[in-house]
Amino acid sequence: MQASIVIAVSVSSLTFLVYGASLCVSDAMVAEFERYHLAPYRTLAGTLEMAAGAGLLVGLHFRPLLLLSAGGLAGMMLGAMLVRMRVRDPLVSIIPAALLLCLNLFILLAPTWTLHRSTPNQVGSTHGAMRAVHSAMTQRTNVNRQWLLAERPSGEPTSTTLRLDEMPVVAAGDAQMLLRTVYLSLDPYMRGRMSDAPSYAAPVAIGDVMVGGTVSRVVESHLPGFTEGDWVLSYNGWQDYAVSDGRGVTSLGASPAHPSWALGVLGMPGFTAWAGLTLIGKPKAGETIVVAAATGPVGATVGQVGKLLGCRVVGIAGGAEKCAFAVDTLGFDACLDHRSPDLRGRLAGAAPGGIDVYFENVGGAVFDVVLPLLNTLARIPLCGLVSQYNATRLPDGPDRSGRLMGEFLRKRVTVQGFIVFDDFAPRYPEFAAAMQGWIAEGKIVYREDVVHGLEHAPAAFLGMLRGDNFGKRVIRVGDGDVR
């Protein structure tokens, strides 16, 4: 932002000098203008003011364009002001000054229209918290914005990995319905879908819409069981609208209390936490559970369910604020900052009896400090390895696979990877009943990290992979009103 202001001031000053030289130095020009009285002056000034005003209107809609041309617009305004001053025009202090004021206000306020975080506030009840990030762009009724996969990233995705496209909204045909996205879920698995490496699911094709779970409203329906205005859990991907034949779509009814929770604590992340912990981890009362990414949607749920089952729960998270939240709000027994220089020693102190269940979300250095503390017959539900998703090669150092397998053999450790709906889909009703009961009783706290605006999805996704989300990251794509 400082660079934009410097450019604006520099170009404005240069333009001001050019106008000053042309009007004050050239006697011939001044004499020619005075020959026609005020008409040429007003024509020149009015033209400059109209151009500046048009530029402001365009810039307010396409903010980067205005920031790039801020200097030129300011120069036009100053030039118009100088022209009017030259002939003592009474409008000298009105039109140019107003336009200049608008530009200055815009430059000052523009940073608040990009990604910024507000303090967390409660969502509907004491069971959840939402952090909002605001945007000036809005969803339209006739245009479908889509984030398309433009290239396969090597390492961390970049600004060229995804491409924003627009197309007309398509009407629903026979036995179809048109869905408008209200919430888009951002999840680590999406990084794998950008790659064409072998995986449990097909990669997104180049040029296709990026995949993702969504909560939507039905715009029009030609399907039994779905009515205009209904809320649904769907898989529209990173776009405003999608036409669906109803497959894979779950009705949430006409007025769910917290529709976005179907993407989090009551959806795939919550089910992942419950299934991984109870069906693979199988904790017993009194045992010690350690979970990484402890304040994310999966980790936070793992820890709270572990406490409900009578276990000691130790979380690992990124930063003092997250760790304090895990202990003070989520009820963990302890939480450690993974950036701590003595994480190994602190974890040993927090789990003096060793670790019985390690719920793996992260991998890398965190797993290295967990491994020596695993107890005999420990269980590891292997949910994710987010620290490794952007890796392009194996880490430096000796091959440690022999040591790892040796530890698993000697301690008879169970390690099981899982894809929750592939492996445990029939258990979802059991999970949903349990989770809804715990939420109703106030035993589960759920925090969302909401980013407003589909245009911010790529940046919010990269931030999530780096760990800067605080709770379940969701994109608020559009409003919840019926249209």
Side-chain angles (χ1 to χ4, degrees):
M1 194 61 216
Q2 288 89 341
S4 297
I5 295 175
V6 169
I7 293 172
V9 171
S10 300
V11 177
S12 298
S13 301
L14 179 61
T15 309
F16 186 93
L17 291 174
V18 171
Y19 276 109
S22 64
L23 290 176
C24 297
V25 176
S26 176
D27 291 336
M29 180 182 293
V30 172
E32 186 69 11
F33 280 163
E34 287 179 344
R35 177 181 173 186
Y36 295 98
H37 304 290
L38 295 181
Y41 287 96
R42 284 189 166 169
T43 299
L44 175 59
T47 301
L48 291 170
E49 289 157 2
M50 287 172 61
L56 277 172
L57 291 175
V58 172
L60 288 171
H61 190 67
F62 302 104
R63 298 191 304 281
L65 177 64
L66 180 58
L67 291 177
L68 290 174
S69 60
L73 294 172
M76 292 178 190
M77 297 174 200
L78 290 170
M81 190 179 297
L82 184 62
V83 171
R84 293 189 185 280
M85 288 174 63
R86 183 73 178 83
V87 294
R88 297 180 176 83
D89 190 321
L91 293 178
V92 65
S93 61
I94 301 176
I95 298 176
L99 289 171
L100 190 59
L101 176 62
C102 289
L103 178 62
N104 288 334
L105 288 174
F106 178 83
I107 291 175
L108 291 173
L109 295 175
T112 67
W113 295 350
T114 58
L115 282 176
H116 90 274
R117 291 184 174 82
S118 64
T119 54
N121 60 282
Q122 295 301 310
V123 183
S125 74
T126 58
H127 305 316
M130 175 185 293
R131 182 166 60 172
V133 180
H134 302 288
S135 166
M137 293 185 70
T138 57
Q139 198 174 51
R140 289 166 284 178
T141 58
N142 60 340
V143 176
N144 185 21
R145 297 171 298 168
Q146 301 176 317
W147 280 107
L148 311 178
L149 184 64
E151 63 183 18
R152 301 209 182 278
S154 176
E156 184 176 76
T158 68
S159 59
T160 60
T161 300
L162 296 164
R163 172 173 57 87
L164 185 61
D165 197 11
E166 293 186 352
M167 63 178 295
V169 175
V170 178
D174 294 338
Q176 292 181 330
M177 59 181 167
L178 177 63
L179 304 178
R180 179 176 61 84
T181 305
V182 180
Y183 295 99
L184 166 66
S185 178
L186 295 184
D187 300 286
Y189 78 84
M190 295 172 177
R191 175 60 185 84
R193 302 294 293 275
M194 294 177 176
S195 171
D196 59 0
S199 184
Y200 62 90
V204 177
I206 299 296
D208 279 2
V209 176
M210 189 61 202
V211 297
T214 55
V215 165
S216 310
R217 299 210 75 169
V218 178
V219 178
E220 63 171 317
S221 176
H222 306 293
L223 279 174
F226 296 97
T227 304
E228 179 181 342
D230 282 354
W231 290 87
V232 297
L233 173 64
S234 54
Y235 295 89
N236 298 358
W238 294 28
Q239 59 181 342
D240 284 310
Y241 295 89
V243 172
S244 170
D245 61 6
R247 286 181 292 182
V249 177
T250 303
S251 176
L252 301 176
S255 56
H258 304 290
S260 63
W261 290 18
L263 300 172
V265 68
L266 292 173
M268 183 270 290
F271 187 30
T272 297
W274 177 86
L277 181 63
T278 63
L279 304 179
I280 298 175
K282 300 178 180 177
K284 305 176 184 66
E287 289 190 325
T288 296
I289 298 170
V290 173
V291 58
T295 58
V298 174
T301 307
V302 166
Q304 292 179 92
V305 173
K307 290 301 298 179
L308 291 172
L309 297 178
C311 298
R312 175 175 177 79
V313 175
V314 179
I316 300 175
E321 183 184 7
K322 291 181 179 179
C323 284
F325 178 78
V327 174
D328 299 338
T329 303
L330 301 180
F332 285 36
D333 295 287
C335 186
L336 310 176
D337 185 349
H338 69 76
R339 305 185 186 100
S340 171
D342 186 29
L343 180 59
R344 187 184 301 273
R346 294 185 64 202
L347 183 58
I355 299 170
D356 300 294
V357 179
Y358 173 55
F359 198 103
E360 178 63 289
N361 291 315
V362 174
V366 172
F367 180 74
D368 289 343
V369 302
V370 167
L371 181 61
L373 299 176
L374 292 173
N375 288 331
T376 299
L377 299 178
R379 289 83 68 197
I380 302 178
L382 180 51
C383 171
L385 299 167
V386 69
S387 71
Q388 309 300 303
Y389 288 166
N390 289 324
T392 57
R393 59 183 178 86
L394 293 174
D396 295 332
D399 182 0
R400 295 179 295 171
S401 58
R403 177 200 167 198
L404 179 64
M405 300 306 288
E407 286 280 339
F408 290 165
L409 174 61
R410 286 189 296 274
K411 294 182 177 179
R412 305 186 296 284
V413 175
T414 298
V415 182
Q416 183 177 337
F418 67 105
I419 308 301
V420 70
F421 280 107
D422 288 357
D423 298 328
F424 302 115
R427 306 295 292 269
Y428 180 82
E430 181 183 351
F431 150 76
M435 186 58 65
Q436 288 168 356
W438 288 329
I439 290 173
E441 294 168 8
K443 295 179 178 179
I444 293 289
V445 175
Y446 177 56
R447 180 178 179 125
E448 289 183 316
D449 188 344
V450 179
V451 175
H452 285 250
L454 182 63
E455 66 275 17
H456 295 313
F461 176 68
L462 292 180
M464 179 196 64
L465 292 180
R466 299 185 189 118
D468 73 2
N469 60 299
F470 197 163
K472 174 69 180 88
R473 180 150 284 185
V474 177
I475 300 293
R476 181 69 183 258
V477 179
D479 62 56
D481 296 337
V482 177
R483 297 183 182 179

